[in-house]
Amino acid sequence: MQQKESYDVLRLIEHGQICYISSENVQGRTLARYLKYHPVMEKKEMFLLLKAIAEQLELIHRCRGNPCYQYVNPYSIILAEDGRVYFLDMKAETNRKQVVFMQRRDMREYFLPPEENYYQNASKELDIYGLGKTFQYILASSETEPHLNRWEEHRLQSIISKTMGTKGSYYQSVSEIQKQIPKWKEKVNKESSGDKGKRRWKIYIALFFAVVAAGYMLIQQRKNVPDGIIKEQQKATSNANTELRTDSQENEKRDEEYLELALAYFLNVGNVEKSRICLNELTNKELAENLKMLIGAYEKQECPEDVRKYKESLAYLEKVWKKRSKISEEKQKQEIQCLIRGYGLLDDEDSVEKVLELVKRGMQTDYLNDPVKKEMLEYQAAACEKKKTEEEAAKIYTELLEMEQEDGNREMLYKKIAQLYEAAGRCDMAMDICIQGIGELKESKELKLMHIRFMCADPSVSREECSMKIKEYVRDDGQLPDQEEFKKLQKEYAIKMEGEEVWVGR
C-alpha cells in the first residue's frame, strides 16, 4: 500500500530574478516511492514532472549566494498531495534519516559521477549530473501512455547524455535543460494512417524518378563540363562523404544512448521487455541481436538449444565490449554483469572458469554496489558447485548469508551451506552451521531434522548425545515427530520414543 508521510521541504519564493528559500512541511511521498506505485503515467504527466523537477532545481541555483543542492536524486524529490514538486530540506533534523540513506554506497555510485566517491562536494555541475541520472531513473522505472515516439526518446536521451557529459559537451545551467524537455501537444490526426502511407509512397516514387532523371542529365552534360566545374563537383562529393562520416558518428552516439538505457532496464530494473524495445532502436543490428539472445536465455534461465551459436554470441559480445569497458568502471561493470549472466547458464568447464574469472574482475572494481556484489557471489558459488569444490562454495554462501536479511532466504542458505559441507566431508562444519541456524531460527523444523541426521550418521557422536539432542528438539517442538523426515530417521537409526524418553539404537 502506498504511504504518504510528512516531510520538511524547501519552499522557493521568486522575487524578480532572485529567489529566496524557506522551509515548510508537506504531506506526500518521495519520487522513488511514487514511481514504484505508478509504473505507468500519461505522457503529459511525465513531461510536466520532468519540467517541474528542473524548474525547482533552477530556482535553487538562482537563490542568493548561488547555492547548490548537492543531493539530487529520486529520494530527495517530494511529490506533495497537491501535485507540486519539492526538494527535501536536507538541513532539517527530521530528514536526517534520508541523508544517511543517500550516503549509502549504492546510492552514491548511481547518482554521482565515477570520480566522485562521496556527497562531499557541491557544484552546479554535480547537481546537473544528478538531474540527468534522475531523468534516466524515471524513464527506466515507468512507461508512458501513449508511448514516447522516437523523436521524444532521442531528445530525452540526448538531454541525459549531455548532463553526464558522455558526448563531450555539458550544460552550463538547468535553464538550458528546461528549454529542451519535450512539450506536450494534443495531436489531431486529420489523415488516416492509410492516407499517410499512400502519400509517403507517392513521395518515394517521385523521388526515385527525379534521381533517375537527374542521373541521365548528368551523364549527358558531363561530356562538355569544364575541368574547374568537375573539381567543384568532386569537392562537393568529398563534403558529402564527410557528412556521411558525421552521420555515422551520430549513429554511434545514439546507439550508445539506447544501449545504456537497455542495460539499465536489464541489469538494474529487471524489465527485459523494455530492454528489447531499446535494443530494437540500435543501428548496430548484430550487437542488438546478440544481446537479445543473452537476455532471452537469462529470462528463461536456460541455455538455448543451439549451444554453439549461444557461445559464439557471448564471445562476440565479449569482443565488441572490450573497448567500451575501458571508458569507465560503470561500463566495465555492465559488461561483467551481462557476461556473468550469460556464461552462468552453461555447465561446461570453460564456461565455469569464465564465470569465476569474470567475478574476480568484478570484485576488483570500485563501482560495485551491494545488489551487484550479491549477484556476483551467487554466480561464483554456483560455479564452485559445478566445479565440485563444495567447501569453497560453502564459504561463499556463508558470505551471502551475512548480506541476507529475510528469514526464509536465510533458512535456505543455512541448509545449503550445511549440505555443501556434508558433501565436502566436513560433517563437523555441517553440524556447526545447523546449530547456528537453529539458534537464530528457532522454529525451523528442517534445520533441526538436518542436524539430527548429521549427528546420527556421525560415528564419532555418541548415541547418548544424539538421544539428548532429539529429546531437546521434541520438547521444544511437539510437532517434530509427525514430520515424514523424522519418521525416516526413526527407521534408519532405530530411534525409539516412550513418553519423554528417547533412545537411538544405531
Side-chain angles (χ1 to χ4, degrees):
M1 184 178 177
Q2 189 177 177
Q3 296 178 347
K4 292 181 182 178
E5 297 181 8
S6 175
Y7 294 97
D8 285 328
V9 298
L10 298 178
R11 186 182 175 210
L12 302 162
I13 306 161
E14 287 186 87
H15 184 74
Q17 292 299 311
I18 301 296
C19 189
Y20 298 91
I21 296 179
S22 68
S23 186
E24 69 175 303
N25 189 273
V26 299
Q27 289 286 321
R29 63 197 70 77
T30 64
L31 174 60
R33 179 168 286 277
Y34 176 83
L35 292 172
K36 180 179 179 181
Y37 292 98
H38 296 81
V40 179
M41 67 174 81
E42 292 182 6
K43 188 190 290 191
K44 178 181 179 181
E45 182 188 358
M46 175 178 277
F47 290 163
L48 291 175
L49 175 62
L50 298 178
K51 213 165 190 64
I53 294 169
E55 182 181 318
Q56 286 294 298
L57 186 59
E58 198 259 337
L59 288 175
I60 291 172
H61 288 175
R62 277 171 48 195
C63 289
R64 283 177 178 255
N66 297 316
C68 303
Y69 185 72
Q70 194 172 7
Y71 295 91
V72 181
N73 60 63
Y75 297 88
S76 65
I77 297 165
I78 302 299
L79 303 188
E81 282 186 319
D82 61 4
R84 295 186 184 184
V85 173
Y86 296 92
F87 276 88
L88 280 174
D89 182 355
M90 304 308 284
K91 294 180 181 177
E93 189 61 34
T94 53
N95 293 328
R96 183 64 189 162
K97 188 187 294 184
Q98 277 79 11
V99 176
V100 172
F101 174 77
M102 290 175 207
Q103 290 287 2
R104 280 174 32 173
R105 184 175 180 181
D106 55 337
M107 286 287 295
R108 301 195 311 267
E109 287 175 345
Y110 190 79
F111 294 104
L112 283 175
E115 63 273 12
E116 294 287 332
N117 295 322
Y118 298 97
Y119 274 115
Q120 56 189 8
N121 299 317
S123 68
K124 287 185 179 180
E125 290 74 21
L126 289 177
D127 279 0
I128 288 171
Y129 183 93
L131 182 66
K133 294 298 281 187
T134 299
F135 282 7
Q136 189 179 55
Y137 183 93
I138 293 170
L139 290 176
S141 304
S142 61
E143 291 183 6
T144 60
E145 194 61 49
H147 294 308
L148 298 173
N149 60 41
R150 289 190 180 186
W151 180 86
E152 291 162 342
E153 281 189 357
H154 184 62
R155 170 59 68 87
L156 291 173
Q157 281 305 311
S158 294
I159 292 172
I160 291 167
S161 295
K162 196 170 179 180
T163 59
M164 293 185 279
T166 54
K167 287 188 173 184
S169 58
Y170 301 84
Y171 287 111
Q172 299 299 315
S173 67
V174 180
S175 59
E176 293 179 43
I177 300 172
Q178 285 179 275
K179 294 173 185 176
Q180 292 194 358
I181 295 171
K183 293 180 176 63
W184 168 254
K185 292 180 182 178
E186 294 285 353
K187 291 186 179 181
V188 180
N189 294 321
K190 295 182 179 179
E191 297 178 303
S192 68
S193 58
D195 292 337
K196 288 181 180 179
K198 289 176 184 176
R199 190 180 71 175
R200 193 180 294 116
W201 276 109
K202 287 177 181 178
I203 292 170
Y204 290 160
I205 292 167
L207 284 172
F208 171 77
F209 282 114
V211 170
V212 171
Y216 176 76
M217 290 173 65
L218 183 64
I219 292 169
Q220 294 300 313
Q221 294 171 5
R222 195 171 180 84
K223 297 173 183 177
N224 301 313
V225 174
D227 288 344
I229 294 178
I230 290 176
K231 287 178 181 179
E232 286 296 321
Q233 289 176 341
Q234 289 172 344
K235 184 179 178 182
T237 303
S238 175
N239 290 338
N241 289 335
T242 302
E243 288 179 10
L244 284 173
R245 283 195 296 272
T246 303
D247 288 344
S248 176
Q249 290 170 350
E250 284 299 316
N251 284 338
E252 285 180 14
K253 289 178 181 178
R254 182 176 175 276
D255 274 7
E256 179 58 29
E257 290 165 7
Y258 275 110
L259 178 60
E260 192 74 32
L261 192 57
L263 292 175
Y265 280 130
F266 177 46
L267 300 174
N268 304 332
V269 182
N271 190 328
V272 295
E273 195 52 47
K274 278 192 172 183
S275 184
R276 288 193 188 97
I277 291 170
C278 293
L279 290 174
N280 288 337
E281 299 296 328
L282 265 62
T283 57
N284 186 341
K285 297 303 178 185
E286 188 176 8
L287 173 60
E289 291 307 314
N290 280 287
L291 188 49
K292 280 195 280 187
M293 181 182 287
L294 186 157
I295 291 171
Y298 177 81
E299 183 182 20
K300 295 177 181 177
Q301 281 298 292
E302 62 180 16
C303 179
E305 289 185 10
D306 193 339
V307 179
R308 184 184 61 80
K309 185 177 179 182
Y310 179 65
K311 285 184 177 180
E312 288 175 354
S313 181
L314 293 176
Y316 167 83
L317 290 172
E318 200 170 354
K319 181 181 177 182
V320 298
W321 277 352
K322 198 169 185 179
K323 181 180 178 182
R324 182 179 182 272
S325 67
K326 293 178 181 177
I327 297 173
S328 71
E329 283 201 332
E330 184 179 6
K331 295 186 189 302
Q332 183 184 1
K333 184 193 73 174
Q334 290 171 341
E335 175 217 2
I336 291 169
Q337 259 190 288
C338 279
L339 292 173
I340 285 175
R341 289 184 178 187
Y343 282 111
L345 297 172
L346 297 164
D347 296 329
D348 62 281
E349 188 177 339
D350 289 343
S351 298
V352 169
E353 290 297 336
K354 181 68 74 174
V355 169
L356 294 173
E357 176 195 325
L358 287 164
V359 170
K360 186 178 179 181
R361 278 180 58 202
M363 291 299 181
Q364 290 171 349
T365 177
D366 291 331
Y367 214 125
L368 195 68
N369 56 32
D370 288 343
V372 176
K373 182 180 179 182
K374 184 179 177 184
E375 182 183 23
M376 287 188 181
L377 287 173
E378 286 169 347
Y379 276 104
Q380 185 184 29
C384 288
E385 283 188 78
K386 293 174 184 177
K387 201 177 175 183
K388 302 298 181 186
T389 52
E390 290 90 354
E391 190 167 353
E392 183 63 29
K395 290 176 182 177
I396 299 165
Y397 280 119
T398 302
E399 191 174 347
L400 283 165
L401 182 64
E402 294 173 5
M403 302 172 71
E404 185 58 60
Q405 301 295 324
E406 206 272 319
D407 283 352
N409 292 337
R410 289 184 67 81
E411 183 182 26
M412 285 191 289
L413 283 168
Y414 274 121
K415 291 189 292 182
K416 184 77 170 176
I417 296 164
Q419 289 166 349
L420 286 166
Y421 275 128
E422 180 192 23
R426 294 296 307 274
C427 287
D428 56 330
M429 294 295 293
M431 285 189 278
D432 285 347
I433 204 72
C434 284
I435 293 168
Q436 182 185 334
I438 294 164
E440 177 190 328
L441 308 167
K442 301 186 187 302
E443 303 299 319
S444 175
K445 290 180 173 60
E446 291 187 55
L447 284 173
K448 290 171 183 174
L449 291 167
M450 187 176 278
H451 187 215
I452 291 170
R453 180 168 65 80
F454 290 151
M455 290 182 72
C456 293
D458 190 345
S460 67
V461 180
S462 70
R463 301 302 88 180
E464 183 182 0
E465 191 178 345
C466 292
S467 300
M468 289 175 63
K469 185 55 69 175
I470 295 169
K471 183 178 179 180
E472 178 190 331
Y473 287 157
V474 171
R475 185 180 65 244
D476 294 342
D477 187 349
Q479 296 179 351
L480 198 64
D482 299 330
Q483 304 296 309
E484 280 299 319
E485 181 63 23
F486 188 87
K487 292 173 182 177
K488 289 178 183 178
L489 291 170
Q490 280 185 293
K491 290 180 182 178
E492 189 173 354
Y493 298 104
I495 300 171
K496 294 181 180 181
M497 299 179 63
E498 288 184 14
E500 294 185 358
E501 296 303 317
V502 178
W503 297 271
V504 177
R506 58 176 180 270

